[in-house]
Amino acid sequence: MPYLQSPWLVVAAHSNSAVATKLDSGPESGLQVVRFRRRTGRPLTGDQVRLDEAMTVREILPRRNRFGRGIWGGRFREIAANLDRILIMVAAEPVPSRDLLHRYVAAAGILDIPCSLVLNKTDLDVGKLDADLEIFQSLGHRVFRVCANTGAGVDELAAGIGDQTSLLVGQSGVGKTSLANRLIPDLKAQTSALSRVTGKGTHTTTTCRLHRLPDGGWMGDTPGVWEFSLWAMDAIELEIGFSEFRPISVHCRFRDCRHLDEPGCAIRQGVEAGTISDYRYQAWRRLLAEVEEQGAA
Ligand SMILES: Nc1nc2c(ncn2[C@@H]2O[C@H](COP(=O)(O)OP(=O)(O)O)[C@@H](O)[C@H]2O)c(=O)[nH]1
Ligand SMILES: [Mg+2]
Ligand SMILES: [Zn+2]
């Protein structure tokens, strides 16, 4: 059976089927359920696929990257592929769980995906998060300040993400859906079109879904309610997610230094000298314990 010419974009991937849309088509183009065989592999949300005339996946095009999280046993579970940016949303309420930002920023760094921070609910008392946000800003991450309720700052965010494919992540209740409704005026129509095609209810799906932004980009949401954790890895991999450590850790006495109690540790010296933030270093110690424990489980 001949392949259909242009690649299709997977906007929602389920275990036995996926929903895709033709990539080079206008915003009116329809969604189609596509099937796949074990041999071709399971597509992820964000994958580009080639289909045959029976709407079966014949080929998953090579992925630029994959974002995911740790699940039981320290395993890595993919969430979406081919992302330009992770948007990590926080708000003063609900109070961010400890190390949430460090975890997300580390995951994005390890998986080689740029990330930006979005502070929502700027109408509330947000001073509590300023110190955290400043540290991540000093590491080179852009911080957007928005109020999804009033729309303040949303235009700037829209301009910042442009026509990219972004994944919006953050704790339940921070305002992801509210912001998505601001950025995507027809979000409700897109969501119900998706559930019409899949026959799944709007609120039952836990898979990541891509929605079309008015400026041509895509925004992924993650309706599944889960605590974000890292997966099993060693100190060398985790350190990729602490990008400011690298220029200094090359001076540690041991090449496989975990920056805990090793003699001649340049990172601990850096903390004492103030070139490494103690806030980041304490997070390092906790996250290293977490990912090593997952590896041992
Ligand atoms: N005060 C305030 N509340 C907001 C803002 N954005 C969202 N909320 C509220 O936060 C709650 C959770 O919002 P929702 O978009 O469902 O969060 P999600 O779980 O991340 O999708 C709702 O009650 C929203 O009305 C905001 O900018 N300011
Ligand atoms: Mg939501
Ligand atoms: Zn060290």
Side-chain angles (χ1 to χ4, degrees):
M1 206 174 275
Y3 288 13
L4 298 181
Q5 291 259 306
S6 56
W8 287 54
L9 174 70
V10 174
V11 297
H14 303 280
S15 47
N16 297 311
S17 67
V19 180
T21 183
K22 209 169 156 189
L23 245 190
D24 58 4
S25 57
E28 301 307 319
S29 99
L31 302 171
Q32 293 275 348
V33 171
V34 302
R35 309 267 158 204
F36 45 88
R37 302 202 174 90
R38 185 171 303 183
R39 165 161 55 82
T40 22
R42 179 194 289 196
L44 300 171
T45 299
D47 264 333
Q48 292 186 23
V49 295
R50 284 195 199 286
L51 303 169
D52 64 19
E53 284 166 347
M55 302 310 277
T56 301
V57 173
R58 282 309 169 101
E59 185 191 359
I60 299 174
L61 300 188
R63 293 173 179 141
R64 269 191 296 141
N65 57 45
R66 295 172 311 160
F67 190 70
R69 64 192 179 101
I71 56 163
W72 50 272
R75 288 152 48 127
F76 178 78
R77 169 65 51 86
E78 290 103 340
I79 295 171
N82 300 327
L83 299 170
D84 295 308
R85 182 168 305 277
I86 309 290
L87 290 173
I88 308 166
M89 188 182 250
V90 288
E93 286 291 328
V95 177
S97 65
R98 185 156 89 159
D99 297 333
L100 181 91
L101 280 174
H102 301 283
R103 272 196 206 98
Y104 272 124
V105 169
I110 293 161
L111 299 167
D112 203 19
I113 307 172
C115 69
S116 302
L117 276 48
V118 180
L119 174 72
N120 187 31
K121 310 196 187 184
T122 49
D123 54 322
L124 305 180
D125 171 24
V126 294
K128 283 174 274 182
L129 297 179
D130 280 355
D132 294 18
L133 294 175
E134 260 164 42
I135 285 183
F136 287 101
Q137 200 156 15
S138 75
L139 297 179
H141 302 292
R142 191 157 174 196
V143 177
F144 296 97
R145 292 166 191 270
V146 302
C147 179
N149 270 2
T150 63
V154 172
D155 285 348
E156 206 182 339
L157 174 61
I161 58 180
D163 60 0
Q164 295 187 329
T165 300
S166 313
L167 178 68
L168 184 60
V169 299
Q171 275 171 285
S172 179
V174 289
K176 297 183 295 298
T177 303
S178 309
L179 176 69
N181 273 305
R182 286 270 171 197
L183 288 168
I184 309 164
D186 64 343
L187 179 68
K188 286 204 176 73
Q190 290 194 34
T191 312
S192 53
L194 244 177
S195 51
R196 252 198 323 278
V197 172
T198 55
K200 290 187 202 302
T202 327
H203 297 292
T204 55
T205 174
T206 56
T207 187
C208 171
R209 297 167 303 193
L210 288 181
H211 303 285
R212 212 184 277 264
L213 291 161
D215 290 344
W218 295 88
M219 166 78 68
D221 72 348
T222 49
V225 180
W226 24 259
E227 247 326 85
F228 183 79
S229 41
L230 293 171
W231 50 98
M233 64 181 82
D234 60 20
I236 292 169
E237 191 177 0
L238 181 64
E239 201 181 295
I240 303 169
F242 282 70
S243 57
E244 77 274 33
F245 282 22
R246 197 65 205 144
I248 294 174
S249 69
V250 292
H251 302 298
C252 291
R253 186 177 306 163
F254 301 111
R255 279 189 60 188
D256 57 352
C257 184
R258 289 152 70 238
H259 322 312
L260 299 178
D261 308 308
E262 295 88 344
C265 173
I267 293 292
R268 282 208 326 279
Q269 286 161 13
V271 174
E272 269 155 45
T275 50
I276 294 274
S277 116
D278 187 51
Y279 166 78
R280 286 281 286 166
Y281 177 65
Q282 297 306 327
W284 163 264
R285 294 183 68 108
R286 291 189 297 269
L287 293 196
L288 181 62
E290 273 177 30
V291 297
E292 288 185 340
E293 193 177 315
Q294 271 156 340

